[in-house]
Amino acid sequence: MEAIGSASQRLECFSTAEELVSDSCEAELSTRLFETDPSQILMDCANAPTLRYRLIEWLSSSPNRRVKGARKRQVAATLSISTRQVERLLNAYYGDRLDENGGVERSDKGTHQRLGDYWPAYIREVYEKSQKENHPLKPADVVREVKRHAIVDLGHEAGDYPHPATVYRILKPLVEQQKRRKKIRNPGSGSWLAVETRAGKILKADFSNQIVQCDHTKLDIRIVDESGDVLSWRPWLTTVIDTFSSGLLGYHLWHKQPGTHEVALTLRHAALPKTYPSDYGLEKTWDICGLPLQYFFTDGGKDLARSNHIKTIGQILGFACEIRSRPIQGGIVERLFKTINTQLLDQQPGYQRNRATKEDIAKAEKAACLRLEDVDKLLTSYFCDDYNHQPYPKDPRETRFERWLRGMGSKLPEPLKERELDICLMKEEQRVVQAHGSVYFQNLTYRCEGLRSRRGEYVTLQYDPDNILRLYIYEQRVGDKSGSFIGYAHAINMDSQVLSLDEVKRLNKEKSSARRSHSNYDALLAQGKRKALVETKKQAKKERQRTEQSKLRKNAKKTLTEVENGQKRSPPLSGKGESLGLLVEGIGPSQVPPQTTTPLSPVSEPVASPVVQSEERHRLSNPKDKRLKKIW
């Protein structure tokens, strides 16, 4: 208000000077030109949102209620509004909703309630899909696509789909984010380290193990097996690196493309202190270790941050899984892979550079002589004695280990217990406890004293694939509650050996192949002998059946001949009472010749033969007495 008063005084001085000039020039000017209030001129010329913001800011700085009330009335009079509206502006100022250049923000700013959920989601999907396919669309192209989709696909009329200004307003944050991605600096440059997630969040590394990165690569070297034959595959390497110091926390060497379980095993190796046998020949100790304290930062692979198993491990161990927005955000871990090739592998026999020609591949296969165990020793020696103690690239005055130790507060972290990291081990479900507290796994018998009282129960086995001779026994999981730890199970009669899971599988395969090759020929011979014996017995049985059948046919022919000869010698029957004789076995009734009977003479003596009995039986069966018939 003081500024407005001073401006009015200056304007009055200016008007007085003009009156003097007009009098001197004898020009008659109307007095109505000076009837306008000077404060109103300043109000009209000032930026209304800025003036409103400054007045409300002046009102909010009132020392007491009396001054605040007076200033509120002055602001209301200056802005030509009510005191109630001034109070609303003051509340908006306190809530950070009063913009210096735009006034009060709407409560629904940034939302598109009248459009619903379909059109904003569709507009974002079209734009993001074009970005993923490396054919980005301009906002104008998206406007045309929305119009085409509404009219052609959905059959809408003009005005039933979003206005181009609405489409631009929806796309504005996406376009700004895309521009920011192009301008963001590499994490390896600048005075501070930062990475960007896929959600657009910036993660800044302020101390060691805060942001841990993980990735895989296929090593550019050919290896051989125990017999010296070149293997057709190349080993895979999984590394875990600290973003703050670029020091290597842990790694895992595998014969195939790593998955979720291999990533979990690498995390376990990174978290625990490292101890190696004397044949590795290490000159220094590997003290860099620990779990991610806040973020586990990886690419969008299904075996990394997107895996449910890794997310579960993060929830239990206390870190969040984040996905990097672009490949350049993983520059620290990607740079390590190139460093391994240029400082270690290219000097070894069997090195095969990326995108090698057929001649290079043949040369690498001819020179290859290292096994997987030899490559593991070379990597361990390089990481422990060389890489972690090299000068830090951004500040060569200190090494990677010294920077990591400084970021940890100049003290080593407390060593974790292996029981806390058992969730990172590989798991085998549903094993039944056998007699004497033993379990069977990979053709090996394990025994645990804690299982003697659990005969017949199901238990869960967890194991480290690098040492398969010791198993971790847990109770069976019930619902969401994981089983408690029971104890260790050791392979019987193999306490002095160390075998990996791959070695045990290879031994089982060799045993199975040797067993089949040893007994195959003998089994085939025995099978042929059994078949020949069975065929011989079958033929003998058929011969016996043919012989017996031939004998039966000969006897039947002989008997039939005798019967025919006897019938020719004997005269025909003369009377009814003559006996027909017995039929020979083998002759049917149809073969018996018909016989003629002559009536008996009254003088002839009745023959006491079975025929008379048959006639009597006939008369009884056919009575002529009607009374007997009725009774019957």
Side-chain angles (χ1 to χ4, degrees):
M1 299 301 293
E2 292 81 3
I4 295 176
S6 61
S8 301
Q9 293 176 359
R10 289 195 300 268
L11 189 58
E12 289 178 358
C13 296
F14 179 76
S15 62
T16 304
E18 281 215 305
E19 288 178 358
L20 296 175
V21 173
S22 61
D23 292 340
S24 63
C25 296
E26 296 181 354
E28 295 181 358
L29 300 176
S30 175
T31 57
R32 288 178 298 176
L33 296 175
F34 307 101
E35 292 178 355
T36 305
D37 187 7
S39 60
Q40 185 64 32
I41 296 176
L42 294 176
M43 290 286 297
D44 295 339
C45 296
N47 186 2
T50 304
L51 179 62
R52 185 189 305 113
Y53 185 84
R54 295 303 178 190
L55 290 174
I56 298 300
E57 185 180 18
W58 173 65
L59 175 61
S60 64
S61 62
S62 301
N64 51 51
R65 295 181 62 183
R66 184 179 60 82
V67 176
K68 185 175 182 181
R71 290 184 178 182
K72 185 185 300 184
R73 291 188 293 270
Q74 291 179 8
V75 172
T78 303
L79 298 178
S80 301
I81 58 177
S82 63
T83 55
R84 181 58 181 164
Q85 290 177 323
V86 174
E87 291 176 357
R88 293 194 186 98
L89 292 175
L90 185 62
N91 294 332
Y93 176 81
Y94 288 146
D96 293 333
R97 291 183 287 105
L98 185 61
D99 190 5
E100 183 176 358
N101 299 319
V104 181
E105 294 181 356
R106 294 176 50 179
S107 59
D108 59 347
K109 182 180 180 180
T111 62
H112 311 279
Q113 298 180 354
R114 288 182 293 179
L115 290 178
D117 298 334
Y118 176 76
W119 283 113
Y122 178 77
I123 293 170
R124 296 189 187 97
E125 181 183 358
V126 170
Y127 183 77
E128 292 175 352
K129 184 178 180 181
S130 66
Q131 297 292 332
K132 291 181 180 179
E133 294 177 353
N134 295 327
H135 297 288
L137 296 177
K138 298 178 182 179
D141 299 333
V142 179
V143 170
R144 285 189 288 269
E145 173 60 24
V146 169
K147 184 177 180 180
R148 185 206 63 80
H149 178 65
I151 296 177
V152 178
D153 298 340
L154 302 180
H156 291 343
E157 297 180 356
D160 294 341
Y161 51 87
H163 192 269
T166 305
V167 178
Y168 291 143
R169 192 162 54 249
I170 295 174
L171 291 177
K172 183 178 180 180
L174 300 178
V175 174
E176 291 178 353
Q177 183 181 6
Q178 189 67 22
K179 292 180 179 178
R180 188 171 61 252
R181 287 180 178 178
K182 294 180 179 179
K183 294 180 180 180
I184 192 170
R185 305 182 71 180
N186 191 334
S189 62
S191 58
W192 51 276
L193 298 175
V195 292
E196 183 182 8
T197 65
R198 184 170 293 182
K201 184 169 58 174
I202 304 297
L203 306 179
K204 183 179 178 182
D206 296 324
F207 51 88
S208 299
N209 291 6
Q210 179 187 8
I211 304 174
V212 171
Q213 301 191 33
C214 179
D215 206 350
H216 318 295
T217 186
K218 184 185 287 187
L219 296 179
D220 297 339
I221 191 170
R222 303 300 297 271
I223 59 176
V224 299
D225 56 8
E226 293 183 352
S227 60
D229 298 331
V230 180
L231 298 175
S232 59
W233 47 269
R234 290 184 292 163
W236 282 81
L237 177 67
T238 305
T239 57
V240 175
I241 295 183
D242 173 39
T243 304
F244 181 78
S245 63
S246 70
L248 187 73
L249 297 173
Y251 77 96
H252 191 272
L253 196 62
W254 202 249
H255 66 279
K256 61 180 181 179
Q257 186 172 1
T260 302
H261 293 289
E262 286 74 22
V263 175
L265 291 172
T266 309
L267 276 174
R268 186 175 184 271
H269 181 264
L272 294 175
K274 285 79 173 172
T275 56
Y276 291 93
S278 58
D279 58 344
Y280 276 71
L282 301 181
E283 300 293 337
K284 301 177 182 178
T285 58
W286 194 334
D287 294 326
I288 298 181
C289 61
L291 285 170
L293 298 180
Q294 284 189 357
Y295 302 106
F296 184 63
F297 192 71
T298 63
D299 59 13
K302 294 182 179 180
D303 54 339
L304 293 169
R306 292 174 56 190
S307 171
N308 292 330
H309 182 50
I310 301 300
K311 291 181 180 178
T312 303
I313 293 175
Q315 293 174 359
I316 295 175
L317 299 180
F319 60 85
C321 297
E322 294 290 347
I323 302 175
R324 62 194 185 197
S325 60
R326 295 178 297 156
I328 196 174
Q329 299 299 321
I332 292 179
V333 66
E334 297 291 348
R335 175 58 192 170
L336 172 63
F337 299 149
K338 184 176 181 180
T339 303
I340 293 173
N341 290 328
T342 56
Q343 295 186 8
L344 178 65
L345 297 183
D346 61 349
Q347 305 170 7
Q348 310 303 326
Y351 174 72
Q352 177 182 317
R353 63 183 178 86
N354 192 17
R355 298 179 182 179
T357 61
K358 293 183 178 180
E359 297 179 357
D360 296 335
I361 295 175
K363 187 183 299 184
E365 292 178 352
K366 183 178 180 180
C369 62
L370 298 177
R371 298 185 302 170
L372 186 64
E373 295 80 3
D374 302 328
V375 176
D376 182 58
K377 292 180 180 180
L378 291 175
L379 290 174
T380 303
S381 176
Y382 174 72
F383 292 144
C384 180
D385 296 339
D386 190 1
Y387 179 80
N388 283 339
H389 295 277
Q390 290 179 0
Y392 179 60
K394 294 179 62 60
D395 189 1
R397 294 174 298 179
E398 58 182 358
T399 63
R400 290 188 174 93
F401 171 72
E402 293 173 351
R403 179 175 174 82
W404 176 84
L405 188 62
R406 180 171 59 84
M408 293 297 294
S410 300
K411 62 178 181 179
L412 296 176
E414 293 292 334
L416 298 174
K417 298 180 181 179
E418 292 189 11
R419 296 283 66 73
E420 300 176 2
L421 300 173
D422 284 349
I423 190 175
C424 299
L425 296 173
M426 301 187 73
K427 183 181 297 184
E428 189 74 20
E429 299 283 355
Q430 296 292 333
R431 293 289 169 171
V432 181
V433 179
Q434 307 295 336
H436 311 293
S438 59
V439 291
Y440 196 70
F441 178 67
Q442 290 294 332
N443 291 335
L444 295 176
T445 303
Y446 297 80
R447 185 164 295 171
C448 176
E449 293 297 329
L451 297 179
R452 288 185 176 273
S453 60
R454 298 175 179 268
R455 182 175 180 179
E457 296 182 6
Y458 284 98
V459 294
T460 300
L461 309 183
Q462 292 186 349
Y463 58 91
D464 185 357
D466 295 331
N467 184 13
I468 197 62
L469 300 182
R470 186 178 72 168
L471 303 179
Y472 304 84
I473 310 298
Y474 283 81
E475 293 181 350
Q476 191 68 15
R477 184 185 184 93
V478 179
D480 296 335
K481 184 179 179 182
S482 59
S484 59
F485 179 70
I486 298 176
Y488 300 98
H490 298 273
I492 299 177
N493 299 329
M494 301 184 70
D495 296 337
S496 60
Q497 301 180 16
V498 176
L499 292 177
S500 63
L501 180 62
D502 295 334
E503 292 174 345
V504 171
K505 289 183 178 180
R506 180 175 52 81
L507 290 175
N508 292 334
K509 187 176 181 180
E510 291 178 357
K511 291 178 181 179
S512 179
S513 301
R515 188 183 300 109
R516 288 196 302 268
S517 62
H518 178 72
S519 60
N520 190 25
Y521 184 73
D522 296 337
L524 293 177
L525 288 179
Q527 182 179 356
K529 292 179 180 179
R530 290 194 299 270
K531 186 176 181 180
L533 178 62
V534 171
E535 293 293 334
T536 302
K537 295 299 181 182
K538 287 182 178 180
Q539 293 295 333
K541 182 179 179 179
K542 289 181 180 180
E543 291 295 334
R544 288 197 304 270
Q545 290 177 350
R546 293 193 189 98
T547 303
E548 293 176 359
Q549 190 68 22
S550 177
K551 289 181 180 180
L552 289 175
R553 285 197 296 270
K554 289 180 181 180
N555 293 335
K557 290 180 180 180
K558 183 178 179 180
T559 304
L560 182 60
T561 304
E562 291 178 356
V563 171
E564 292 177 352
N565 295 334
Q567 290 179 354
K568 291 180 180 179
R569 290 193 301 269
S570 61
L573 295 176
S574 57
K576 185 177 180 180
E578 295 182 358
S579 175
L580 295 177
L582 298 177
L583 293 177
V584 182
E585 182 180 3
I587 301 177
S590 60
Q591 298 178 358
V592 179
Q595 298 179 0
T596 58
T597 58
T598 57
L600 296 175
S601 61
V603 184
S604 62
E605 184 179 356
V607 180
S609 63
V611 178
V612 178
Q613 298 178 359
S614 63
E615 291 179 356
E616 294 178 355
R617 288 196 300 271
H618 182 70
R619 286 196 299 270
L620 290 176
S621 61
N622 296 287
K624 294 182 179 181
D625 193 350
K626 293 182 179 180
R627 292 182 305 163
L628 185 60
K629 184 176 182 180
K630 290 180 180 180
I631 294 172
W632 179 256

